[in-house]
Amino acid sequence: MNWSNYIRQAHRWLSIVFTATVIANFVAMALGTPPAWVVYSPLPPLFLLLFSGLYMFVRPYISKWRDAELRQQTP
């Protein structure tokens, strides 16, 4: 497995963790005023999702740019 597959799999698991923390947040708010750690618990997986999602978004453009640059270098 290469890095792209690892990042894609990590992104999937992070989305599950993020969804679970958001659901726990809503449940805690329904029961009363939640503690601060429950309110802010979705943020770390959200930031990791941001970085892994941006990587997966930019990766095809980078590979096209590299391929075009390699074609220009070869006579």
Side-chain angles (χ1 to χ4, degrees), residues 14 17-18 21 37 39-51:
L14 282 169
V17 171
F18 174 72
T21 56
W37 67 270
V39 174
Y40 296 117
S41 64
L43 291 179
L46 180 64
F47 286 125
L48 292 172
L49 280 169
L50 171 74
F51 295 127

Side-chain angles (χ1 to χ4, degrees), residues 22-74:
V22 169
I23 291 170
N25 200 344
F26 278 105
V27 168
M29 285 184 182
L31 297 175
T33 305
W37 67 270
V38 173
V39 174
Y40 296 117
S41 64
L43 291 179
L46 180 64
F47 286 125
L48 292 172
L49 280 169
L50 171 74
F51 295 127
S52 63
L54 285 174
Y55 168 78
M56 289 190 298
F57 177 77
V58 171
R59 196 175 62 89
Y61 298 107
I62 291 174
S63 65
K64 285 181 187 178
W65 175 71
R66 284 183 185 167
D67 290 344
E69 197 169 281
L70 285 175
R71 280 190 219 124
Q72 287 179 352
Q73 290 177 356
T74 55

